Amino acid sequence: LALGIAGVVAWRVRDALAAKQLAEPLGRMGLGRDPGAVAGAATAAVAGLLALGLALQGFRWFRSRPAAGPARPERFVPARVDFLGGLITSNGALLRWTLDHRIAACFLAILFWGSCAVPNTLMEMASFMQGDNNARIDLEVRLEDDFTLAEASDQMAFYEDWFEARRDELGFEHLGTRFDETSGRVSLYWDSQQDGEEMAALRKRLQDEVPRRAGHRVLLRGEDENVERNRNLVAFTLRGPRYEKLIELAERAVPLLEAVPGLSSVSTGLETAPEQVEVVFDQDLAERMGVTPEIAFNNIAWALRGWQLPRYQEPGREVPLILEYDSEEIAGLDTLREMQVFTGESAVPLATVADIEFSKGQTEIVRRNGQATITLTGRVDDPTRLLPVTQAGLGILRSMDLPRGYDVGEEDTQMFRQQEEMREIMKALVFSIVLVYLVMGILLESWSLPVVVLWTVPFAVTGALWTLFLTGTTMDSVGWIGVIILVGVVVNNGIVLIDRIHTLHQAGVPRREAVLQGSANRVRPIVMTALTTVCGLLPMALSEPPSEGIDYRALATCVAGGLAISTFFTLWVIPLWYTIVLDLADAVTASIRWALGPLARRMGRAPGRDAAGPVEA
């Protein structure tokens, strides 16, 4: 045990040193120390002291062992050599030892229960979203604005030829290219899903090795990627009163975020935004001339799109009528500048009260609580480090010199969403336990027996976490849903076992014999139902993650591992807690009777005195 804890500590220290190396660039940027690193160092120190104490005490026990070995058993093979028979015999022997050493058995059970802190601290966590498609890699190329379609084709052919020359080295089967005048995408396809770690390494390699031509920006992401459903993407939000200022701040933040370790391909989304004509009004001059933005907008819309007149109706059809300038009158910007804006009393040229500029702009501006927002997205190299990368990115944005009225929004970050998800899941977990307790209390007609059965839940959760940790499965919100399902599944075995033991005890069988006999009678059905359920979940737990959709491996691993571990503790710990709860119930009942004894005796003598009084009189 001491060596095992020491190994875990060494593993934790190694990860901490690696995280420290990754955090050095953040330290140079003036960010504070990560509180998680401090907590991890404290945990490693406490675990190291525990390992040292166990080693010293174990050495002491080892030296005080008897010189003679144990007595040779009469036979090495049990009388029944079949699987279930051996389980029944072994479980009976374990229960006899448990009933004779209840304090030691309780200590061992609680020790295992507390060990869930180890996998909960060290295992990988991910958010409730799907991962990358491991059968495809998309490389997006942002071009300059003045390319024609033929020139864009020549530019994209350079990247297509570069990948074709490395087809055997990279191992992809198919290659596709799409482009327009402003951007293009090269897609590499595999016929089947590839290993996730290998694809992540290949993406990082391509990000570093793909050549960049002058005027091009290369991003390792596809146009169809959605930050709402992909845990490999992270989003940061800036908000403030003016959208134009937000664009300026977002462009300043891009190189700062790309310096965060583990974060790449940061984009504001404006690279592919269309060019728009921007009319900037001189508010004072426009107000003096009676021109408002609404009047100017209506005049510009009429000049560019025309004006819809009432439809001309005749029998059998309707003819739409549109009043508009001819193509020569709206041929260029000069026409727009000299366009007359009618104020109702006079006409003012648009160029007199406004400047006409070109700029990139989104097709929509999102406002929340009266503030405009702009979202920056980036790719996370390791989705299991989504939260640390998000925290580092938020720290970078907060360290920027933001003007008054502008700040960083956290409502759209995966960290905020995952915290909200976990709060909802914890509420659902508590509610499910309460419902299970109420149903068992009604059916068993007892308040204490459901408490005994519910002791299977902590061991099931601990078993689920250890199974995830040992198998290297990433825990996500779907896995926590599996934990909630586990609450309703594992209590079934406890109900079957406790019902049999309690029935024998009420029939007059001594408690110890009722525990041993009832457990022996229920080993076979409990083990058989658990094995069939675990075997049914194995294909889902061992399957490859889907390219699109939700990954259910964590759910299947949680239910299968938790059920397997809880089955052992159901057959061992539940009979132990049954005897303890009965002893506590008897002690509480005796205490209540002792406390209410004098009152009951006084109440019992009171009627006699009242009745005897008149007779004696």
Side-chain angles (χ1 to χ4, degrees):
L1 183 59
L3 290 176
I5 295 177
V8 172
V9 171
W11 187 7
R12 184 66 176 173
V13 169
R14 185 195 64 178
D15 292 342
L17 292 176
K20 182 179 179 181
Q21 294 177 355
L22 292 176
E24 287 181 356
L26 300 180
R28 290 194 294 268
M29 296 177 185
L31 297 181
R33 181 177 298 178
D34 185 8
V38 178
T43 303
V46 172
L49 293 177
L50 177 61
L52 179 61
L54 287 174
L56 295 176
Q57 186 64 26
F59 182 71
R60 180 181 176 185
W61 288 339
F62 180 76
R63 293 193 61 184
S64 61
R65 74 191 189 283
R72 179 183 178 88
E74 295 182 359
R75 57 185 305 156
F76 290 94
V77 181
R80 298 185 61 182
V81 295
D82 61 288
F83 176 70
L84 290 176
L87 284 180
I88 295 173
T89 303
S90 303
N91 183 67
L94 179 61
L95 283 181
R96 291 186 183 89
W97 177 88
T98 299
L99 297 178
D100 294 336
H101 306 84
R102 293 198 299 180
I103 296 178
C106 289
F107 174 76
L108 292 176
I110 295 175
L111 182 63
F112 176 79
W113 182 20
S115 69
C116 67
V118 176
N120 192 36
T121 304
L122 299 178
M123 71 179 179
E124 298 177 345
M125 297 287 293
S127 57
F128 182 72
M129 289 173 286
Q130 70 183 50
D132 276 325
N133 182 353
N134 288 328
R136 171 179 174 179
I137 291 181
D138 292 322
L139 190 80
E140 186 176 353
V141 181
R142 305 280 173 81
L143 304 174
E144 294 290 346
D145 298 332
D146 55 351
F147 281 106
T148 64
L149 193 62
E151 292 171 341
S153 176
D154 295 336
Q155 297 294 321
M156 295 304 301
F158 168 79
Y159 297 98
E160 187 174 359
D161 295 339
W162 189 87
F163 280 106
E164 283 289 356
R166 292 161 178 79
R167 177 186 290 267
D168 296 336
E169 178 184 354
L170 300 178
F172 61 88
E173 278 83 14
H174 312 284
L175 183 145
T177 306
R178 298 175 60 185
F179 60 89
D180 55 22
E181 292 87 347
T182 60
S183 64
R185 183 177 60 184
V186 179
S187 300
L188 311 180
Y189 299 92
W190 283 259
D191 291 337
S192 60
Q193 290 289 324
Q194 306 297 308
D195 181 73
E197 294 183 359
E198 295 180 359
M199 293 296 286
L202 181 57
R203 287 187 176 93
K204 183 171 179 55
R205 174 188 169 188
L206 292 178
Q207 184 69 40
D208 298 333
E209 295 183 0
V210 172
R212 271 72 167 170
R213 305 193 75 177
H216 296 188
R217 189 181 180 202
V218 178
L219 300 176
L220 205 65
R221 52 190 300 177
E223 296 173 358
D224 57 347
E225 288 184 324
N226 189 347
V227 70
E228 298 285 341
R229 58 182 176 85
N230 194 323
R231 61 169 173 251
N232 292 86
L233 299 180
V234 62
F236 304 97
T237 302
L238 295 175
R239 57 192 180 189
R242 295 183 64 247
Y243 186 73
E244 296 79 6
K245 187 64 176 179
L246 288 176
I247 294 176
E248 178 185 344
L249 295 175
E251 292 176 348
R252 285 172 45 197
V254 168
L256 298 177
L257 290 175
E258 287 185 340
V260 175
L263 186 61
S264 61
S265 300
V266 180
S267 172
T268 62
L270 297 174
E271 294 86 355
T272 58
E275 288 283 353
Q276 296 181 352
V277 177
E278 184 175 337
V279 181
V280 183
F281 280 90
D282 186 337
Q283 296 183 0
D284 296 334
L285 182 60
E287 185 177 357
R288 288 197 302 268
M289 292 188 175
V291 178
T292 64
E294 181 180 2
I295 293 175
F297 174 77
N298 291 332
N299 280 263
I300 294 173
W302 180 35
L304 298 181
R305 295 198 302 260
W307 188 264
Q308 180 77 45
L309 298 177
R311 291 176 177 267
Y312 173 75
Q313 298 183 359
E314 61 182 20
R317 66 169 183 165
E318 291 184 351
V319 180
L321 298 179
I322 301 176
L323 181 65
E324 62 182 4
Y325 288 104
D326 59 21
S327 58
E328 294 182 358
E329 291 294 333
I330 57 171
L333 288 178
D334 293 337
T335 304
L336 187 61
R337 290 190 181 96
E338 299 301 328
M339 186 187 69
Q340 301 293 314
V341 178
F342 295 94
T343 63
E345 298 179 355
S346 62
V348 179
L350 182 62
T352 304
V353 295
D355 294 328
I356 299 177
E357 301 173 356
F358 282 98
S359 65
K360 286 183 177 292
Q362 298 283 15
T363 57
E364 64 178 5
I365 298 177
V366 179
R367 294 184 181 272
R368 293 184 179 176
N369 299 324
Q371 288 189 317
T373 62
I374 188 170
T375 302
L376 297 91
T377 59
R379 168 171 288 278
V380 180
D381 297 336
D382 184 2
T384 62
R385 293 187 53 81
L386 180 64
L387 294 184
V389 170
T390 303
Q391 292 173 347
L394 291 175
I396 288 287
L397 296 179
R398 295 191 191 101
S399 64
M400 293 175 58
D401 186 15
L402 297 178
R404 184 176 180 180
Y406 296 83
D407 61 351
V408 181
E410 300 184 8
E411 295 82 1
D412 293 332
T413 60
Q414 280 79 356
M415 180 177 63
F416 182 83
R417 292 173 185 167
Q418 186 165 346
Q419 290 173 352
E420 287 292 324
E421 291 171 3
M422 289 304 302
R423 279 194 286 266
E424 294 298 327
I425 288 174
M426 289 299 107
K427 291 179 183 178
L429 180 61
V430 173
F431 189 53
S432 65
I433 293 175
V434 172
L435 288 180
V436 169
Y437 175 82
L438 293 177
V439 171
M440 288 192 299
I442 294 173
L443 297 179
L444 296 176
E445 298 180 353
S446 172
W447 63 268
S448 58
L449 292 181
V451 175
V452 178
V453 176
L454 284 177
W455 274 104
T456 58
V457 175
F459 297 104
V461 175
T462 303
L465 295 180
W466 271 112
T467 306
L468 288 169
F469 176 66
L470 295 177
T471 57
T473 305
T474 302
M475 181 62 162
D476 53 17
S477 298
V478 183
W480 286 111
I481 295 175
V483 173
I484 297 176
I485 297 174
L486 200 57
V487 173
V489 173
V490 298
V491 296
N492 297 334
N493 294 336
I495 293 173
V496 171
L497 180 60
I498 288 299
D499 179 70
R500 179 58 178 168
I501 294 175
H502 195 59
T503 300
L504 291 174
H505 187 44
Q506 287 184 328
V509 179
R511 189 177 68 182
R512 181 184 178 91
E513 295 301 323
V515 168
L516 296 175
Q517 182 179 345
S519 299
N521 293 340
R522 289 295 180 259
V523 168
R524 184 184 298 270
I526 289 176
V527 172
M528 289 178 63
T529 54
L531 282 178
T532 53
T533 305
V534 171
C535 292
L537 291 170
L538 282 179
M540 185 186 298
L542 300 177
S543 63
E544 290 293 329
S547 59
E548 295 183 1
I550 300 176
D551 186 1
Y552 290 100
R553 291 179 301 168
L555 184 148
T557 305
C558 279
V559 177
L563 183 59
I565 299 298
S566 68
T567 300
F568 169 74
F569 283 96
T570 297
L571 295 172
W572 172 40
V573 177
I574 296 305
L576 170 64
W577 289 119
Y578 175 77
T579 60
I580 293 176
V581 168
L582 286 187
D583 289 343
L584 290 176
D586 293 341
V588 171
T589 304
S591 300
I592 293 175
R593 289 177 178 175
W594 177 83
L596 299 179
L599 179 61
R601 288 193 293 271
R602 286 196 299 270
M603 293 178 65
R605 289 196 299 268
R609 289 196 300 271
D610 294 342
V615 174
E616 294 174 356

